[in-house]
Amino acid sequence: REKAGGYSYAGQIQNLFPMTDSIYKVVKPYIRLGEQSIETSFVTVKQPARQRQKLDINLADTLLWRSLRGIGPVLSRRIVRYRNLLGGFVNPEQLKEVYGIDTILYSEIASMLYVTTPFPIKKIDLTLCSYADLRAHPYISPRQASAIIRYRSQHSELSSTNALFDIELLDSATINRIRPYILEPEPGLD
C-alpha cells in the first residue's frame, strides 16, 4: 500500500490487481480503505448438532457412526469394514485397531459405545476352514494360517483352541486374541 502511494478509493485496487469488471463487482464490497467501513451482512448457517446417543458397535451402520463427533464418512466405512472382517467386536477397545482412531478420539467417544452381549460373533471352525478363511481374519497372519492348516493335517483335527498352544507361531497373546473368534466344539461329541 505504501509502495503504491496509498489507496484513496476502491477503483485503484482494480488497476493494481488486473481483474475483470465482474470480479471487481464481487470484491468491491469487501475492500476497506482508511477509516471507511462497509457494512456487510453474513448469514451463518448452523449445522444440526450431532446426536449424543449410545451406539452398539456391532449393530451400527455407517450413518450411526457418523453421528459421533470426529467420525466422518471415510472412518465410518473403515469401522464397519473392519468389524465385518473380524466377525464382530468383542470389546469396544478394538476400535483403536481401526486406522484413523487414535487414543484421543477413542477417549472422546468411548462413553458413547457399548457391545451387546451376547452378540453372535462370526466364528471360524478350525476343523473345516481353509487357508483363505483363516487368512481373511485380521488377527491371523499368512504364516500363522499356514501353520494352523499344517497342524490340522498332521493331527487329523483341532479338538479345541487349547491345541493352538502346540503351534510355535502362535503365542499365548495371539491365541487369547483370536479365541473369541474360534468355534469351540460341543463337549462330548467325540
Side-chain angles (χ1 to χ4, degrees):
R1 189 164 130 169
E2 284 88 27
K3 289 182 182 177
Y7 307 118
S8 56
Y9 63 96
Q12 290 175 316
I13 302 292
Q14 186 179 17
N15 295 335
L16 186 61
F17 301 104
M19 61 182 85
T20 64
D21 287 335
S22 60
I23 292 176
Y24 176 72
K25 287 178 185 174
V26 172
V27 174
K28 184 178 178 181
Y30 302 99
I31 298 173
R32 292 185 177 183
L33 300 173
E35 295 298 316
Q36 187 181 32
S37 71
I38 299 172
E39 284 192 38
T40 57
S41 63
F42 293 96
V43 177
T44 304
V45 178
K46 279 192 164 185
Q47 291 185 336
R50 293 191 177 204
Q51 296 175 349
R52 307 270 309 164
Q53 64 183 13
K54 288 233 176 215
L55 193 79
D56 183 336
I57 63 175
N58 281 319
L59 299 176
D61 62 5
T62 55
L63 289 175
L64 284 174
W65 279 110
R66 289 172 61 185
S67 71
L68 295 177
R69 182 185 164 111
I71 298 183
V74 172
L75 192 50
S76 66
R77 282 192 303 270
R78 280 187 201 143
I79 293 167
V80 171
R81 188 178 320 120
Y82 190 69
R83 178 186 66 204
N84 293 340
L85 284 172
L86 275 176
F89 292 112
V90 177
N91 184 326
E93 296 250 339
Q94 289 175 288
L95 282 171
K96 292 191 260 183
E97 299 166 12
V98 176
Y99 178 78
I101 298 184
D102 57 12
T103 53
I104 295 169
L105 176 57
Y106 179 77
S107 66
E108 289 176 4
I109 64 172
S111 65
M112 306 303 295
L113 309 174
Y114 70 96
V115 176
T116 301
T117 51
F119 180 78
I121 298 293
K122 182 180 161 198
K123 305 264 186 177
I124 300 170
D125 185 348
L126 292 178
T127 60
L128 301 173
C129 67
S130 67
Y131 169 82
D133 294 333
L134 290 170
R135 185 55 206 112
H137 198 280
Y139 292 168
I140 301 173
S141 73
R143 290 182 62 212
Q144 291 167 334
S146 293
I148 292 169
I149 297 296
R150 260 193 321 275
Y151 182 89
R152 183 179 69 195
S153 67
Q154 292 169 356
H155 296 87
S156 72
E157 66 178 60
L158 284 166
S159 57
S160 75
T161 54
N162 290 333
L164 294 174
F165 286 100
D166 296 336
I167 301 172
E168 272 187 42
L169 285 174
L170 297 173
D171 60 2
S172 60
T174 302
I175 293 169
N176 289 329
R177 195 173 179 203
I178 65 173
R179 188 178 293 242
Y181 300 99
I182 303 298
L183 180 66
E184 287 284 351
E186 296 284 329
L189 291 179
D190 291 336

